[in-house]
Amino acid sequence: QVQLVESGGGLVQAGGSLRLSCAASGSTFSISAMGWYRQAPGKQREWVAAIASGGNTNYADSMKGRFTISRDNIKNTMYLQMNSLTPEDTAVYYCNALTIATKLRAPEHYWGQGTQVTVSS
C-alpha cells in the first residue's frame, strides 16, 4: 500500500509561483515513478508531469518551461515548482505514484486527495 498526501496549494496572483509537495508513505520502495495531474472544473483530468525513480522527467507541452518536477528519495517526497502562473492553471492538483511491476502484481496507480490551486487575474 502507498499513501500520498499533497500540500502547498493556495491562492496566488497571476505571474506568481507555488510549490506543491507530495509526501509518500507505506511501501515507498515499490514506487517506480511519480507524477502530477490536475483537473479544472468541468474538464477532464490532465497529466502535468512525471518523474522516474532515477530522476528522468517529462512534462506536458503546456507546462514546459514553467513547471519543474523533482523528487527527494530520502524524504519520499515529490515536488512541483510552478512559476509564471496564469488563471488557466487553476485546478485541483493530484499526486500519482506508479508501483513496480512484478511476476505477482501488475503495476498499480495510487492517488492523493488533491490540493487546490487558484490563480487570480
Side-chain angles (χ1 to χ4, degrees), residues 32-102:
S32 63
M34 300 181 71
W36 291 95
Y37 292 73
R38 69 184 186 184
Q39 188 168 21
K43 296 186 177 181
Q44 299 284 339
R45 186 167 295 187
E46 175 187 25
W47 176 70
V48 174
I51 185 168
S53 59
N56 291 339
T57 60
N58 285 292
Y59 301 90
D61 288 341
S62 62
M63 272 59 106
K64 291 180 180 178
R66 298 191 300 123
F67 291 6
T68 303
I69 190 171
S70 61
R71 186 176 180 181
D72 186 331
N73 290 326
I74 297 176
K75 295 182 178 180
N76 293 315
T77 301
M78 178 181 63
Y79 306 94
L80 183 68
Q81 178 67 46
M82 305 185 295
N83 300 323
S84 301
L85 288 166
T86 73
E88 288 70 37
D89 295 314
T90 295
V92 177
Y93 285 71
Y94 296 91
C95 177
N96 170 265
L98 179 68
T99 58
I100 299 171
T102 69

